[in-house]
Amino acid sequence: MPHKLATIVMQRAEALAACSEEPEQLTRRSYTPALREAHRLVVGWMAAAGMAVREDAVGNLIGRYGAATPGGKTLIIGSHLDSVRDAGRYDGPLGVLVGLAAVESLHRRELRLPFAIDVIAFADEEGVRFGSSFFGSRAIAGTFDSSWLRLADADGMTLAEAMRAFGGDPAALATCAYRRDEVLGYLEVHIEQGPVLEAEGLPVGVVSAIAGATRANLHFRGVAGHAGTVPMQLRRDALCAAAEFILAAEALGRAANDPELVATVGQLSVRPGASNVVPGAASLSLDVRHQHDARREAAVAALREEAEAIAARRGLAFTWETLQATAATACSPRLRGALARAVAGAGYPVRDLCSGAGHDGIAMADLCEVAMLFVRCAGGISHNPAEAVEVADVAAAIAVVERMVEERVHEI
Ligand code: HGY
Ligand code: MN
Ligand code: MN
């Protein structure tokens, strides 16, 4: 059955890829009409798999496959449908579609388990639109911070306004939270977004921990001036300061001789943004990750000091805005063990590996034990339209999840 369902998963991933804000590339940010279109497709697939479907106040899409007897606990299987800009097809959707396929397999065989399965498509995992992320999973875990509702996107729309326009209810976010005692655990299937499984010829991997991450915005303020008249020595050029910082961040990441430390500047805005004006203001994003929190925090502190020194040397004003700092999250030894036995039971080698990428499991760990299954992806490429998986590896993931929910019940 897994291979047939895997083919359906691949077809559905293609259908979801057409739900985009941009005609030429796949961009599906949170609370957009493109995400609404994606939800419409998934609602139909969930209903056809015998699931009761609802959307909660924060905008999570939740399909429930009821337990054999009412009152059972719930295993949550989830991931996200929102994407980065110019995204691949599988980062997020694969996890929702494999969870749905495992339920579909039960439904086709008219099987019910002693526990319910909730397949959740979380409202905003990538954080592209509002800068901070995990809004959906934080609401499910009961840790949503209402100050986030005032975050605004590039058009000035607040998260609360976007949520309301999408059909959500910012005033009712407490209703999204699950109770600890009703949840068996959380399982996410996700592409590895790295090269390890492919390098070792493995279809799947069991995640041991998810790296911690700090996201910040840095703002350099100088003096705008005429490109033709302001002498170089008298300039207070905000973009040159930002450029110096960007290279310093790369140098720190490289010099640390620590492969687990990564520092990325992915966004840069320059004002006023005219070719004949010395830039008076420049803002940039910073993303720092590490498996160990102390190392990440030390790197963030060093980068903040460096930015302040650059601004001081150049006579610029500087502000630092931390948007999000998430601690590294260990996956549950109990669930990992059950997942590893399900991998072995499905006939695949068990390979533990860390996740450099962030996932909703970070937020879900405040609610319950979490486990993740990685799926090999071509070249380890992700956050890129070249993202690709093999149908046989998707079939492997479905077979593992089926064994996890059907044979490892007593271990969950
Ligand atoms: O940024 C991440 O690690 C994830 O893709 N949200
Ligand atoms: Mn991603
Ligand atoms: Mn993802």
Side-chain angles (χ1 to χ4, degrees):
M1 175 91 84
H3 211 285
K4 220 163 142 209
L5 286 167
T7 306
I8 293 171
V9 164
M10 301 295 276
Q11 291 162 348
R12 289 174 173 174
E14 282 310 306
L16 287 172
C19 305
S20 175
E21 293 174 67
E22 296 166 321
E24 304 307 317
Q25 60 184 37
L26 172 51
T27 300
R28 189 169 57 236
R29 296 171 304 153
S30 54
Y31 305 107
T32 57
L35 189 62
R36 173 54 61 211
E37 227 183 296
H39 275 203
R40 230 193 308 281
L41 287 176
V42 177
V43 166
W45 298 332
M46 286 180 164
M51 302 178 95
V53 191
R54 67 186 174 93
E55 207 166 275
D56 69 7
V58 76
N60 294 314
L61 180 61
I62 302 169
R64 165 156 294 192
Y65 190 72
T69 45
K73 290 197 172 192
T74 302
L75 174 69
I76 300 174
I77 302 178
S79 196
H80 58 97
L81 295 176
D82 66 300
S83 79
V84 293
R85 291 187 187 287
D86 197 10
R89 287 157 162 60
Y90 304 103
D91 170 8
L94 184 71
V96 175
L97 296 173
V98 168
L100 178 50
V103 167
E104 209 149 347
S105 169
L106 291 167
H107 180 60
R108 288 184 180 184
R109 290 174 286 149
E110 296 178 4
L111 281 179
R112 292 275 167 176
L113 300 174
F115 52 87
I117 295 179
D118 279 3
V119 175
I120 302 184
F122 291 110
D124 183 332
E125 190 276 341
E126 295 288 4
V128 170
R129 184 167 176 185
F130 295 96
S132 189
S133 59
F134 306 142
F135 297 140
S137 41
R138 294 271 188 224
I140 294 282
T143 56
F144 186 95
D145 178 337
S146 56
S147 68
W148 298 336
L149 291 171
R150 293 189 294 278
L151 289 171
D153 66 9
D155 302 324
M157 183 181 249
T158 66
L159 172 58
E161 289 160 344
M163 204 181 280
R164 224 174 272 119
F166 193 73
D169 180 358
L173 298 184
T175 61
C176 303
Y178 281 57
R179 292 192 329 273
R180 281 175 179 283
D181 63 0
E182 70 177 326
V183 180
L184 279 173
Y186 172 68
L187 172 62
E188 179 164 357
V189 176
H190 203 286
I191 50 171
E192 179 199 343
Q193 300 177 300
V196 173
L197 293 176
E198 183 178 64
E200 297 182 15
L202 300 170
V204 293
V206 177
V207 176
S208 53
I210 305 170
T214 296
R215 290 190 186 192
N217 280 338
L218 282 63
H219 308 283
F220 291 95
R221 292 274 175 288
V223 178
H226 195 299
T229 59
V230 181
M232 293 307 286
Q233 283 66 19
L234 299 182
R235 291 183 176 198
R236 288 168 49 203
D237 183 327
L239 181 54
C240 289
E244 195 177 341
F245 174 80
I246 292 166
L247 291 177
E250 182 193 43
L252 180 128
R254 286 185 169 174
N257 281 326
D258 176 349
E260 289 186 7
L261 177 66
V262 285
T264 312
V265 174
Q267 290 169 315
L268 176 65
S269 69
V270 184
R271 287 175 297 291
S275 63
N276 59 351
V277 180
V278 175
S283 296
L284 53 87
S285 65
L286 176 65
D287 178 315
V288 180
R289 315 258 179 127
H290 200 285
Q291 295 292 337
H292 300 291
D293 292 336
R295 289 284 298 115
R296 169 174 52 87
E297 287 155 3
V300 169
L303 286 172
R304 182 166 188 165
E305 247 176 68
E306 179 59 22
E308 284 162 353
I310 290 169
R313 271 200 304 276
R314 292 171 171 268
L316 274 69
F318 171 73
T319 53
W320 170 289
E321 197 192 348
T322 298
L323 296 175
Q324 183 175 308
T326 49
T329 302
C331 291
S332 144
R334 186 176 67 94
L335 284 186
R336 267 176 68 191
L339 188 57
R341 282 184 287 280
V343 169
Y348 303 104
V350 177
R351 171 63 154 92
D352 289 330
L353 68 170
C354 298
S355 173
H359 300 285
D360 284 301
I362 290 173
M364 292 299 283
D366 288 335
L367 173 70
C368 60
E369 293 180 80
V370 303
M372 285 194 74
L373 182 73
F374 269 173
V375 179
R376 171 170 45 188
C377 60
I381 296 170
S382 183
H383 284 189
N384 179 314
E387 224 172 64
V389 291
E390 294 295 330
V391 65
D393 292 349
V394 175
I398 294 169
V400 170
V401 174
E402 280 183 324
R403 280 176 183 273
M404 178 78 170
V405 300
E406 294 177 38
E407 290 171 17
R408 298 286 157 206
V409 162
H410 52 289
E411 296 173 45
I412 292 183

